[in-house]
Amino acid sequence: MLRRIDLSGEVPGYSARALRELMPRAAFDVNEALRSVQPLIDDIAHRGTAAVVDIVERFDHVRLEHLRVPDAAIKTAVEELDPELRRAYQTSIDRVRAAHEAQRLPEVVTEVAPGGTVTERYLPVGRVGLYAPGGLAVLASSVIMNAVPAQIAGVGSIALASPAQKNNGGLPDQGILAVAGMLGIDEVYAVGGPAAIGMFAYGTDECAPVDMVTGPGNIYVTAAKRAVRGLVGIDAEAGTTEIAVIADATADPGHVAADLISQAEHDPAAASVLITDSADLADAVDDELARRVPDTRHSGRIQTALAGEQSGTILVADIDEAVAVADAYAAEHLEIQTADAREVALRIRNAGAIFVGAYSPVSLGDYCAGSNHVLPTGGCARHSAGLSVHTFLRGVHIIDYTREALAAVADDVVAFANSEDLPSHGEAVTARFEAR
């Protein structure tokens, strides 16, 4: 079922660039999407609320009287939440909070010379806009993954936006409202897609502009983030979701197939990639896919994703080659289902998150592992990390020198300044020691 790319024994012969170019990837042209998104963002910049209302009506077929969700609707969503689902939400909240509390950064004071210190303080951004998708999949889990790290970082003002749902009276999904209420977020907007990003960036008469926008979304949300980047901070330009699985002959083909299917369920353009040194395992996984896919609820979407150019099986000679391929692919989610899985995992350099062994599937990370599921895609794990408490913090240096400490380094500053033809820089130091 998965197309095959046979690289057995050939991996060492490829340059890093050539190996990356062989990897299956979803087409993801943000610039093309930006052509249709930019006019929407510009309209919001000029007309504010009126533009947001028009855009929501055009794309979500709901005419909003107010962008902001009433407090009573959030309270009702919490009160009417199914007890089983509430327990699942709370488990996720508790575990994400526990894992992310460990990411707090202490203030660090370094004495670089007698009388000269540099203090590093980590300060939260003042206000963030969090986005929770509501298209093919309505992701209440994304509210948790974005809001909890922001709260731990100490962000003082948090706003949440999610698309208006016609079948919910023009409000966002009830699960998203319930999670917001459980987290104490009362500023929620029934606005989705590029309109939400534009609203956050430029502000409206109901929504004050933010300093940073985070949260996953489709290519049009990503294009909107690109359009406002610089005016506000963003977490990342996330692409279509992806999973790679390194598996050897010891892996259970049923587990591997189930995990590839679970990621394909997200989107017809989702990527599911198997990396293996066992042709027999690859055959067995194909058999499992053929058996399982027709019985899934979203079989059409899954079949399209698995058959696409972004998915496939990569055959390698051994685990060393599998690690090299995985690093070239730099998956958003990477599973290791091999003998000595943890040892293999510790050899990986490039991945958004790594799931070790038969009992750490990606879907655990989507909800209740405690890790964050907002992760770099499209090979960006080579240089970027997933969303965390650090996303919402800025390192600020405080420089504190005594007269004596400045005097001790004055000649070096002057030498540097003169070498760069900026003599006034040096004079700003020597002026402090001139006789008056």
Side-chain angles (χ1 to χ4, degrees), residues 150-197:
Q151 290 174 331
I152 292 171
V155 175
S157 178
I158 298 176
L160 170 67
S162 191
Q165 303 291 333
K166 192 173 183 180
N167 61 3
N168 196 33
L171 296 173
D173 175 76
Q174 286 295 97
I176 285 173
L177 294 180
V179 169
M182 292 173 68
L183 291 170
I185 298 173
D186 59 7
E187 187 182 350
V188 182
Y189 297 91
V191 180
I197 308 306

Side-chain angles (χ1 to χ4, degrees), residues 360-374:
S360 304
V362 166
S363 54
L364 174 67
D366 285 339
Y367 302 115
C368 292
S371 57
N372 205 292
H373 78 201
V374 182

